[in-house]
Amino acid sequence: MAHRRTRVKSWLPVLLFIGGAVAAAVYFVENPGSAMAARVLTYDHLATLAAQHVGMVVISSLLAAATALPLGILISRPRLRLLGLVLENLVNIGQTIPSIAVIALSFTVLGLGFNTAIFALWLYSLLPILRNTYAGIISVPPGVREAAVGMGMRPWRILLRVELPLAFPIIMAGIRTAVVVNVGTATLATFIGAGGFGHLIVTGIMVRRLQLLLSGCILSALLAMLCDHLLGMVEEKVKTSA
Amino acid sequence: MGFWSLVVSRWNNILESTGEHILIVVAAVCVAVIVGVALGVVITYWRSLAGPVLYFCQVVMTIPSLAMLGLLLPVFGIGYKTGVATLILYSLLPIVRNTYAGIQGIDPAIIEAAKGMGMRETTILRRVKLPLAWSVILAGIRTAVVMIIGIAAIASYIGAGGLGEFIFRGISQWNLQLVLLGAVCVSLLAVLADGLLKRVEGRARR
Amino acid sequence: MIRLEGVTKIFPRQRVPAVKNLSMEVGEGEICVLVGPSGCGKTTTMKMVNRLIEPTEGKIYVNGRDVADMDPIKLRQDIGYVIQEIGLFPHMTIAENIATVPREKGWPEDRIQQQVDILLELVGLDPEVYRHRKPADLSGGQRQRVGVARALAADPPILLMDEPFGAVDPITRAHLQNEFLSLQKKMRKTVMFVTHDIDEAIKMGDRIAVMRAGELVQYDTPDRLLSAPADDFVAALVGHNRALKRLHLVKAGAVARTDVAVAQATRFVEEAKELLQTNNSPVVVVVDGLNRPKGVVQREELLRRNGRAALQDIVNPLESVADEDATLYDALSTMLNYGERYVVVLNHNREFQGIITFGYLLELMKENGS
């Protein structure tokens, strides 16, 4: 059945997304459409916004992975099973809270700025990674774990050689979700003064300049699709090797 | 001014915005359910379409919501229309995906039995497939509702009304209490909607 | 050697002990089978030996040392452990699975690889073919073999086996059981084997421990268990058809009849007929130059045939065969399986050793039956 065929993710879309982004940037800078837009749409400025956007996503995602992985491992220990269940429920509730609300709440506590945005993105992307790390380790079949214990593997060796490798595809899926959501949420960071492609969109709406608006939309959308595809490739790779 | 006195003094305002918020979400979901379930059903018959349709929905999902609002703004203009259009687009994927998965997941023996008893395809769809897939479809609707409650708050920025207005007005006026009010209300709405729909889902599964 | 002294296990928040004041000894090089209905405490008993479960009371000695005083990690690395196939690591290759304990013990890599190949050969899997496969690529029986190989990897003197052949079909299970028994003949490990299947217990065990509700009901040799069950529970467990069950206890090679007519495939029917006149054999076994059976011709069929035909032209291909290590029970199953009235017994070199006919089997059962 054609629709069941697993689509092997190729490098072609990666080139398309990057090429598309570059082409869009060149097009909008060369055709700003109005003097007001021309002041914003310069190569320098676009590079700055891109760096801000990517920087926010990369830093917050790395921090989130660095916190959520150990935490997820910790709450999956049998002795902390109860804590794990409690946290799992809290995370589930936390995930229903909209990203704009998290940005807004962070703003009320930390004020404007890049660091506030990093904090909000970190907090928000913590949840999928934490949940998937926990779920991934919990889903290791009991027989597999028992065999490992029964053969005299030390607990940290079981974690490294059995539990984490088996949970890795699920953890990777969590990281992918987190990063893609982060690209989207980072567009909202402009509301609290952290820049990024959202700046182009919001400015475009405020001053009613279509070129400005479209440039922000297209660039942030391409970045999101690029991240999704790249991490999808990693996920596929992990799945087939596991 | 304390947070509670703000809540009290703005009570009518809160109710009105919550009403607006719920209204655009419900309007969007209603359209999305009709279109999404129909699309989901169609691709179970027209299998070659399933891959492309689901892939398209997935791509739409990855696009940042603010970007989507911006892309549709030139088409629908400032106001709730752009908002609703965006919300419909985003709620399509979970509904289409779950309709498709729900129907595909039915035990083929059941459908065989229905055919064997001489039921027409339309009757099978109405009396067998959709009822059996309903709890899965509901799960998709829940995902969609929770997600677009958040996106509706962002849509306030382009004049779609709703609880997001507190957030944006609060930020521009540097009124932290107002921002807090907006964030808390939107979050509560999402959590409550999730809980409510989970219960409906649980009942449907039985 | 394993010795349990007054071992009791009460799980938290449970009033009834899972294992009650159990004392027993598993001798060096013996297979001890723990058998009983589910929940009788057999698995709990086994898991206390490698300290997956800690006893509430009592002492357990492995080779004279109290396990409570040993590092559980070291203890477990020196005790092979086989559970149902789900225990294989699905993300590792077969070689990596088998190498688990040697790796934990820090063996050098080349020695590990060597050992992996030796073990794969030992359990009858070609290393070249299976080394780099994943458990998901293997059949149920092959996975169980890998499970055994993995447990044997660091050559532990003791093996614990928890329903090791539980997840495969009956025919494969019989194969695996026979293979393990012939391995055990060479290895002489001290084995504690848990099963709920009394037939398996009778076939595998040197001694059988029948358990019920946490208590040891009878600890005896299979023969004694069948001929003198301690109480009604054991009698019911071993069942009514005890005569049939005792077929498990006799190896086909030990009783196979050798007084049958054997003829080279190149001989003529005429010659075979002459053979039958001096020999009251029901069949003629046709062998090749290496004494390997090629097939069997029934007495009646032979008499109907033209004398000038060569035996190799009229012989029926041989299907109903058993290894000398197979039990009479296996032999009977094979006969029933192929609808034949005989089974040809082969030795380890696949040479003709003897034949067991249905009538002969019935006689054996009568002699043997209680």
Side-chain angles (χ1 to χ4, degrees):
Chain A
M1 283 177 285
H3 71 288
R4 288 241 164 190
R5 194 181 50 214
T6 45
R7 194 180 293 107
V8 177
K9 293 199 185 308
S10 69
W11 285 97
L12 184 68
V14 174
L15 295 178
L16 274 176
F17 293 145
I18 295 177
V22 172
V26 171
Y27 173 79
F28 285 117
V29 172
E30 300 304 329
N31 307 283
S34 66
M36 197 188 281
R39 275 200 294 277
V40 183
L41 289 170
T42 63
Y43 288 116
D44 273 358
H45 194 219
L46 283 185
T48 311
L49 293 177
Q52 283 170 339
H53 206 113
V54 173
M56 264 189 281
V57 171
V58 169
I59 295 172
S60 62
S61 302
L62 284 178
L63 287 176
T67 8
L69 270 170
L71 196 60
I73 291 169
L74 197 68
I75 62 173
S76 68
R77 298 303 92 194
R79 274 179 218 167
L80 298 173
R81 203 42 56 94
L82 207 65
L83 179 68
L85 283 175
V86 171
L87 264 175
E88 198 190 10
N89 278 308
L90 278 180
V91 167
N92 280 341
I93 294 174
Q95 282 203 306
T96 61
I97 294 177
S99 53
I100 183 74
V102 176
I103 293 260
L105 288 172
S106 306
F107 163 71
T108 62
V109 181
L110 297 173
L112 292 176
F114 191 74
N115 291 341
T116 309
I118 296 278
F119 174 79
L121 294 188
W122 166 77
L123 190 64
Y124 204 55
S125 51
L126 206 58
L127 303 183
I129 304 178
L130 179 63
R131 192 185 58 176
N132 280 31
T133 305
Y134 177 75
I137 293 179
I138 289 294
S139 70
V140 171
V144 169
R145 194 179 281 114
E146 199 203 296
V149 177
M151 286 190 295
M153 289 176 85
R154 289 185 171 76
W156 65 272
R157 294 274 297 167
I158 296 177
L159 180 69
L160 286 182
R161 302 241 323 142
V162 179
E163 291 180 316
L164 282 182
L166 279 174
F168 200 61
I170 302 176
I171 297 175
M172 203 54 227
I175 292 176
R176 179 184 180 192
T177 309
V179 171
V180 174
V181 168
N182 258 350
V183 174
T185 311
T187 58
L188 306 176
T190 178
F191 292 122
I192 55 169
F197 291 135
H199 177 72
L200 296 171
I201 304 175
V202 169
T203 314
I205 294 173
M206 271 196 311
V207 301
R208 297 174 184 254
R209 288 296 182 279
L210 188 63
Q211 296 296 84
L212 221 46
L213 172 67
L214 286 182
S215 65
C217 294
I218 290 170
L219 288 175
S220 58
L222 285 174
L223 179 62
M225 289 191 263
L226 175 67
C227 288
D228 184 54
H229 191 87
L230 278 178
L231 288 167
M233 285 170 74
V234 177
E235 205 184 317
E236 238 170 35
K237 186 121 205 224
V238 165
K239 236 180 245 163
T240 47
S241 69
Chain B
M1 196 167 57
F3 184 67
W4 285 115
S5 50
L6 177 77
V7 171
V8 172
S9 69
R10 295 256 184 167
W11 187 244
N12 283 332
N13 222 328
I14 294 171
L15 281 185
E16 195 185 323
S17 294
T18 308
E20 268 175 19
H21 206 108
I22 293 175
L23 196 68
I24 54 169
V25 167
V26 169
V29 165
C30 283
V31 177
V33 167
I34 295 167
V35 177
V37 171
L39 201 54
V41 167
V42 165
I43 59 175
T44 59
Y45 291 110
W46 209 338
R47 296 278 172 83
S48 54
L49 276 182
V53 166
L54 291 173
Y55 185 72
F56 173 76
C57 290
Q58 186 115 39
V59 170
V60 169
M61 288 280 289
T62 59
I63 297 174
S65 43
L66 185 64
M68 184 65 81
L69 283 166
L71 286 172
L72 295 181
L73 192 59
V75 185
F76 296 100
I78 292 280
Y80 72 92
K81 277 190 203 156
T82 303
V84 172
T86 307
L87 299 193
I88 292 172
L89 264 180
Y90 278 100
S91 38
L92 273 180
L93 168 78
I95 297 175
V96 172
R97 185 187 54 196
N98 281 32
T99 305
Y100 180 74
I103 293 178
Q104 292 293 92
I106 297 171
D107 184 353
I110 295 178
I111 293 167
E112 193 91 329
K115 272 186 196 149
M117 286 185 291
M119 287 168 88
R120 285 170 205 285
E121 189 51 48
T122 48
T123 323
I124 294 177
L125 183 63
R126 205 159 38 83
R127 302 266 316 270
V128 180
K129 287 183 176 174
L130 284 180
L132 281 174
W134 187 233
S135 70
V136 185
I137 298 174
L138 266 178
I141 295 177
R142 175 166 62 89
T143 311
V145 167
V146 171
M147 182 173 59
I148 66 173
I149 285 176
I151 299 174
I154 301 168
S156 301
Y157 189 75
I158 51 140
L163 290 163
E165 280 190 12
F166 292 129
I167 296 175
F168 293 114
R169 218 181 307 144
I171 292 176
S172 64
Q173 298 168 1
W174 199 266
N175 183 342
L176 296 187
Q177 304 279 1
L178 203 57
V179 175
L180 188 63
L181 179 69
V184 168
C185 286
V186 172
S187 305
L188 269 180
L189 192 61
V191 172
L192 288 177
D194 187 53
L196 183 78
L197 288 169
K198 244 183 208 155
R199 295 192 62 171
V200 176
E201 217 180 295
R203 202 167 305 159
R205 203 166 287 145
R206 259 177 282 145
Chain C
M1 190 203 62
I2 307 166
R3 194 165 82 246
L4 287 78
E5 282 178 7
V7 173
T8 296
K9 175 66 192 180
I10 304 173
F11 284 107
R13 288 188 295 279
Q14 276 187 359
R15 303 234 308 280
V16 192
V19 175
K20 217 184 298 176
N21 193 23
L22 186 84
S23 298
M24 63 186 282
E25 198 176 307
V26 183
E28 188 101 44
E30 263 183 15
I31 299 182
C32 160
V33 181
L34 300 175
V35 68
S38 67
C40 70
K42 53 190 192 294
T43 302
T44 306
T45 304
M46 193 194 80
K47 285 182 179 174
M48 283 192 283
V49 175
N50 66 353
R51 292 185 65 185
L52 285 175
I53 296 175
E54 300 287 353
T56 315
E57 267 173 50
K59 296 268 182 213
I60 296 171
Y61 299 91
V62 166
N63 291 330
R65 290 182 64 192
D66 186 347
V67 294
D69 299 336
M70 297 166 76
D71 172 16
I73 301 288
K74 286 262 157 31
L75 173 75
R76 288 171 194 154
Q77 288 181 359
D78 288 329
I79 297 180
Y81 187 51
V82 191
I83 58 177
Q84 288 194 13
E85 58 166 287
I86 47 172
L88 289 186
F89 301 138
H91 60 299
M92 293 185 191
T93 62
I94 299 310
E96 286 170 331
N97 261 292
I98 295 174
T100 305
V101 176
R103 279 235 163 88
E104 293 301 304
K105 288 188 150 188
W107 288 17
E109 195 55 33
D110 52 338
R111 187 175 163 208
I112 293 179
Q113 291 316 325
Q114 225 178 336
Q115 180 75 348
V116 165
D117 287 0
I118 291 173
L119 283 161
L120 278 172
E121 299 266 11
L122 191 69
V123 298
L125 295 172
D126 182 359
E128 293 302 321
V129 178
Y130 292 100
R131 207 184 283 135
H132 298 299
R133 298 221 176 148
K134 294 268 174 85
D137 305 329
L138 269 54
S139 71
Q142 291 170 330
R143 272 182 284 204
Q144 305 275 282
R145 287 190 175 91
V146 175
V148 172
R150 188 173 69 167
L152 294 172
D155 200 20
I158 293 173
L159 278 182
L160 302 182
M161 309 177 86
D162 188 0
E163 304 258 1
F165 310 131
V168 290
D169 63 278
I171 292 176
T172 311
R173 187 182 313 152
H175 271 298
L176 291 170
Q177 288 167 341
N178 295 343
E179 282 170 22
F180 182 76
L181 284 175
S182 62
L183 267 183
Q184 167 68 0
K185 244 201 243 165
K186 289 176 244 162
M187 303 186 304
R188 309 301 301 170
K189 303 278 183 200
T190 305
V191 183
M192 203 179 228
F193 189 111
V194 165
T195 181
H196 65 270
D197 177 0
I198 186 69
D199 291 322
E200 185 169 61
I202 289 169
K203 180 172 177 183
M204 303 301 287
D206 295 313
R207 300 242 263 164
I208 297 176
V210 180
M211 291 184 71
R212 178 184 46 178
E215 285 180 282
L216 191 60
V217 186
Q218 186 171 3
Y219 186 36
D220 241 325
T221 62
D223 207 24
R224 291 273 305 156
L225 205 69
L226 289 167
S227 57
D231 62 8
D232 292 347
F233 173 75
V234 180
L237 188 73
V238 297
H240 304 297
N241 41 9
R242 275 186 259 155
L244 197 59
K245 293 228 164 84
R246 294 180 80 156
L247 292 178
H248 282 302
L249 299 175
V250 185
K251 295 268 182 283
V255 294
R257 283 174 61 171
T258 49
D259 56 342
V260 288
V262 180
Q264 295 264 329
T266 47
R267 296 301 173 107
F268 295 109
V269 170
E270 222 164 44
E271 294 170 280
K273 281 180 182 165
E274 275 168 37
L275 256 177
L276 278 184
Q277 275 166 7
T278 56
N279 189 321
N280 195 25
S281 174
V283 294
V284 173
V285 178
V286 181
V287 297
D288 65 10
L290 295 168
N291 198 28
R292 295 194 171 142
K294 288 181 72 79
V296 156
V297 185
Q298 303 276 354
R299 186 186 192 97
E300 306 86 71
E301 185 178 358
L302 193 73
L303 295 176
R304 270 193 283 115
R305 289 288 181 165
N306 181 321
R308 295 310 303 164
L311 284 175
Q312 59 192 359
D313 296 328
I314 64 161
V315 70
N316 299 312
L318 192 58
E319 283 178 321
S320 183
V321 292
D323 286 331
E324 60 170 322
D325 284 334
T327 64
L328 286 186
Y329 195 91
D330 298 332
L332 179 60
S333 307
T334 306
M335 277 185 227
L336 296 176
N337 205 10
Y338 292 110
E340 298 286 4
R341 300 182 61 83
Y342 64 88
V343 59
V344 174
V345 180
L346 307 179
N347 69 10
H348 289 308
N349 298 325
R350 315 290 302 163
E351 291 161 359
F352 175 72
Q353 176 158 1
I355 192 164
I356 295 171
T357 59
F358 194 68
Y360 178 57
L361 198 65
L362 287 179
E363 274 170 45
L364 282 173
M365 280 169 78
K366 257 183 247 155
E367 273 171 37
N368 233 324
S370 48

